[in-house]
Amino acid sequence: MIEWPALAPDARQRVISLPIWDIAVQTEGRASIRVKTFAALIGDPLLRSALEMDAGEEARHKAVLSKLVQAYGIQLEPEPDYAMPRDPEWAWLVTGYSECVDSFFAFGLFEVARRSGYFHRN
């Protein structure tokens, strides 16, 4: 269990006002089903196992984000159904590429926010 830190009202407002939470939770939900669907097509047991672990990790990311938004009272739109992709290999490739782009911009933007004082560092 993660113990989310208490935030001062102004800090909490900055966090909850970010327009990313629905997208973040849904992205992890889609990533999990995409990787899991692709893994099912793989014949090599070791590679399939690695992909299944990755799908589980994406599901864990979704669970962590869901707990974060719950802890801070962030309201989300109802989640869509996460359909299995029609082309699992393409969905897996897109997911991997998207993960790289998301990480690059997310980590950079959070660092900019920290340096600017938008997020305070304890």
Side-chain angles (χ1 to χ4, degrees):
M1 183 172 126
I2 297 174
E3 293 186 28
W4 301 100
L7 298 175
D10 62 326
R12 180 183 170 277
Q13 184 56 42
R14 283 192 298 277
V15 169
I16 68 171
S17 70
L18 294 171
I20 63 169
W21 302 114
D22 288 297
I23 294 167
V25 171
Q26 291 176 24
T27 296
E28 298 301 340
R30 279 191 306 277
S32 178
I33 192 72
R34 288 175 176 176
V35 176
K36 184 177 180 179
T37 303
F38 180 64
L41 301 177
I42 302 303
D44 179 89
L46 185 58
L47 182 54
R48 184 177 52 250
S49 177
L51 288 163
E52 288 168 346
M53 283 191 291
D54 182 38
E57 186 63 14
E58 298 302 333
R60 188 184 70 81
H61 294 167
K62 181 181 177 297
V64 169
L65 283 169
S66 296
K67 295 293 184 183
L68 180 146
V69 299
Q70 181 181 19
Y72 293 119
I74 299 168
Q75 298 297 312
L76 298 180
E77 295 296 320
E79 287 186 62
D81 291 329
Y82 299 109
M84 293 174 56
R86 286 177 275 174
D87 184 345
E89 183 177 22
W90 178 250
W92 178 72
L93 290 169
V94 168
T95 297
Y97 179 76
S98 298
E99 290 280 312
C100 294
V101 172
D102 289 351
S103 294
F104 177 80
F105 285 104
F107 293 132
L109 289 172
F110 273 85
E111 178 61 15
V112 168
R114 186 194 64 78
R115 288 182 184 182
S116 72
Y118 190 79
F119 290 149
H120 299 286
R121 190 173 196 188
N122 294 339

